[in-house]
Amino acid sequence: MPYEPPTHTVERSLRATTGARIVAGVDEVGRGAWAGPVTVCAAVTGLRRPPTGLTDSKLLTPKRRTTLAAELEQWVTEYALGDASPQEIDELGMTAALRLAAVRALEGLPVRPDAVILDGKHDYLGSPWQVRTVIKGDQSCVAVAAASVIAKVRRDTAMAELEAGTEGCAAFGFAANAGYPSPVHKAALEELGPTPYHRLSWSYLDALPRWRHLKKVRLSAEAAALESGGQLGFDF
């Protein structure tokens, strides 16, 4: 299916209306997974013409995504990644965990951005960051699309390495499903139960009678309510 390439329109608008000189695009991956971290990438691209074929990582084949990510890591002006672990997600809830991962990414940049373009409609960053939210920003904004591809490839690679190199993880199919729901993943959970890399506050445990007792309860009802949207497979 053809798609319009991303542009610098939002970045130019931010520069013109706020005086921002350095604008970072931010996108996440792993929000809807059952296992593994949520990973956020912050990318600064300037106003240069992006590599051919850049778009939302979910619209690319795995092979094309991997090739493009390697190109983008050399092309972007700066980028940094931040993770929030399954344990942090369980403790904080997804909204707060997303903010934690995003702040880690942004603070990992060599220079603090003057403004941030955040994919989606919800500003999970907030003060003191100057944020512009853009629905489908990973398709329409160059910096967000670049962040989308880099984050996706880095997290997918980490999950494949987890399967290959960690005792007790081979059966879960992380190399293929990246920790998201899949028949292989569910079957392994039913037989073996969750690993230390699984999110234990997630509702999938409700359907696993043998392991339901391991489910962690949120510290507050408010945190659970904020997180409820995060159990859907947004990035599968």
Side-chain angles (χ1 to χ4, degrees):
M1 180 182 298
Y3 49 81
E4 291 293 321
T7 70
H8 293 294
T9 300
V10 177
E11 186 170 343
R12 291 182 189 278
S13 172
L14 278 168
R15 288 172 175 241
T17 57
T18 70
R21 294 182 302 107
I22 300 173
V23 179
V26 169
D27 198 16
E28 56 77 23
V29 63
R31 185 194 303 236
W34 288 350
V38 62
T39 298
V40 173
C41 181
V44 178
T45 65
L47 300 177
R48 293 172 297 144
R49 184 174 182 176
T52 301
L54 177 62
T55 187
D56 172 15
S57 64
K58 296 185 290 297
L59 299 178
L60 301 169
T61 65
K63 181 178 180 180
R64 175 57 184 150
R65 212 165 36 222
T66 300
T67 301
L68 185 57
E71 186 176 355
L72 286 168
E73 289 178 11
Q74 300 299 315
W75 175 80
V76 298
T77 305
E78 306 287 354
Y79 78 93
L81 292 124
D83 288 332
S85 70
Q87 292 74 28
E88 288 171 326
I89 294 168
D90 286 336
E91 179 180 352
L92 301 172
M94 181 52 75
T95 299
L98 274 172
R99 186 177 195 279
L100 181 63
V103 169
R104 286 170 174 167
L106 288 164
E107 291 184 344
L109 294 170
V111 180
R112 184 184 177 93
D114 301 310
V116 174
I117 305 172
L118 191 62
D119 181 51
K121 63 180 180 180
H122 175 56
D123 177 10
Y124 56 77
L125 258 176
S127 179
W129 304 94
Q130 180 169 261
V131 176
R132 175 79 60 85
T133 58
V134 179
I135 296 173
K136 294 188 177 180
D138 48 10
Q139 294 182 38
S140 61
C141 300
V142 169
V144 179
S148 166
V149 173
I150 294 171
K152 174 67 173 169
V153 171
R154 285 296 190 94
R155 186 181 181 279
D156 283 359
T157 299
M159 294 302 292
E161 291 172 349
L162 184 64
E163 176 184 328
T166 306
E167 185 177 357
C169 287
F172 291 89
F174 291 155
N177 61 46
Y180 284 87
S182 74
V184 169
H185 194 169
K186 183 177 180 181
L189 277 167
E190 290 175 342
E191 177 65 24
L192 303 172
T195 71
Y197 308 97
H198 280 86
R199 303 170 188 181
L200 298 182
S201 56
W202 247 226
S203 61
Y204 70 83
L205 280 169
D206 294 334
L208 301 173
R210 287 178 61 191
W211 312 107
R212 195 178 298 154
H213 65 284
L214 297 176
K215 187 174 181 181
K216 291 188 176 180
V217 179
R218 278 293 143 67
L219 294 179
S220 70
E222 179 183 5
L226 285 170
E227 197 284 287
S228 61
Q231 297 186 39
L232 302 175
F234 288 111
D235 299 302
F236 186 62

